[in-house]
Amino acid sequence: MIEAIKKKIKMKKYILLIFIVAFISCKEEEKPYMMYGFLQEQLHLSSNILRDQISETIANHNLTDESIVKEYDSLTKEYLLYLEKTHSELTSHINGVQATISVGELSEIKHGNNYFFEGENYSKKGAEYIYKMENYRTVILDLVDNENLRNRINLTLSTSDIINRDADTIKYLNWFYRDMPLISILTHLKHQEKTILEIENDFLKNKLIYN
């Protein structure tokens, strides 16, 4: 476990070096998107480390047969697969392969708008996104006893309307995804993935401490 983490940290340092070289050499207008790409890679690697930690915690502490842990882990894996599918669908129509997405495509707002919205309303995909997120939040709350963790779940996975500094009420997806560049939406999805895994990791820690 420790060696695996060290290897992934070393990989992150290597990617950082590559990023610095690429950042220096890229065009000025491309630099904001390079930063988003680097952030996505960091989030991806961190999520993989968390997955390893979760798997080893469950296996090494005889939690595989505990029904609550098993249900929580299954629900989380199912929801993360949905987020991965959403990420893939947002990019699959662009040149066929994600690796070939240009800076121009990454800066486009039409991809997110077309996917999550129909006019002023949520699209079928947008409504599904809200349902999946709200459903996941509700079902895992039933499995969590720790009050602080419950508060984090409610804060992190809330789909409630946002009230901005001007006291205007804005729908959740409008706030995060409407008229946003594609790269921003993709990065937010990766951030959500990492946050969900962090919460599961803390859920397991609480089970070990209090059980």
Side-chain angles (χ1 to χ4, degrees):
M1 173 65 180
I2 293 175
E3 288 302 317
I5 292 175
K6 285 182 178 178
K7 185 176 180 181
K8 288 180 180 179
I9 291 172
K10 186 176 181 180
M11 188 185 300
K12 288 176 77 172
K13 290 180 179 177
Y14 177 68
I15 291 171
L16 175 60
L17 179 61
I18 293 174
F19 168 75
I20 291 171
V21 173
F23 186 79
I24 292 171
S25 61
C26 73
K27 297 177 182 178
E28 192 66 32
E29 65 270 18
E30 294 178 353
K31 288 184 177 179
Y33 305 102
M34 284 285 294
M35 184 65 75
Y36 270 118
F38 176 63
L39 178 58
Q40 277 203 64
E41 186 61 30
Q42 279 195 316
L43 291 168
H44 177 70
L45 290 172
S46 296
S47 292
N48 283 343
I49 291 173
L50 284 164
R51 282 188 172 92
D52 290 344
Q53 289 177 336
I54 288 167
S55 295
E56 293 202 9
T57 298
I58 292 174
N60 294 341
H61 294 278
N62 298 318
L63 297 175
T64 51
D65 294 328
E66 188 164 337
S67 60
I68 291 178
V69 171
K70 191 174 182 179
E71 183 177 1
Y72 192 112
D73 189 55
S74 176
L75 289 166
T76 298
K77 286 176 177 175
E78 181 182 347
Y79 183 60
L80 290 179
L81 282 175
Y82 168 73
L83 289 184
E84 289 173 10
K85 180 172 78 77
T86 301
H87 189 286
S88 177
E89 287 177 349
L90 280 164
T91 58
S92 62
H93 61 289
I94 303 173
N95 296 332
V97 182
Q98 184 175 345
T100 65
I101 299 176
S102 67
V103 169
E105 291 286 0
L106 290 173
S107 65
E108 289 280 2
I109 65 173
K110 64 182 179 182
H111 303 302
N113 284 351
N114 291 342
Y115 188 87
F116 291 106
F117 304 99
E118 286 183 4
E120 295 301 312
N121 301 314
Y122 290 166
S123 66
K124 185 177 179 180
K125 290 288 187 181
E128 180 187 32
Y129 185 91
I130 292 295
Y131 169 78
K132 292 279 190 181
M133 188 171 175
E134 184 63 23
N135 183 66
Y136 176 69
R137 182 185 68 84
T138 302
V139 292
I140 62 170
L141 276 175
D142 288 339
L143 306 175
V144 176
D145 296 323
N146 183 273
E147 193 62 30
N148 286 331
L149 192 57
R150 289 177 62 85
N151 289 337
R152 278 178 60 198
I153 291 168
N154 278 321
L155 178 65
T156 305
L157 298 176
S158 171
T159 59
S160 299
D161 293 345
I162 311 294
I163 300 177
N164 67 13
R165 64 181 62 186
D166 297 320
D168 297 322
T169 301
I170 304 170
K171 287 184 176 182
Y172 179 89
L173 288 183
N174 292 51
W175 176 264
F176 283 104
Y177 295 157
R178 184 180 284 280
D179 295 335
M180 297 299 289
L182 176 62
I183 188 64
S184 174
I185 296 172
L186 298 178
T187 304
H188 184 262
L189 289 171
K190 289 296 182 184
H191 179 265
Q192 284 289 87
E193 176 185 340
K194 176 175 173 285
T195 302
I196 286 163
L197 288 166
E198 287 173 336
I199 291 174
E200 181 179 9
N201 201 35
D202 287 343
F203 166 76
L204 294 173
K205 288 178 183 177
N206 286 335
K207 294 297 291 183
L208 294 174
I209 293 170
Y210 297 111
N211 283 2

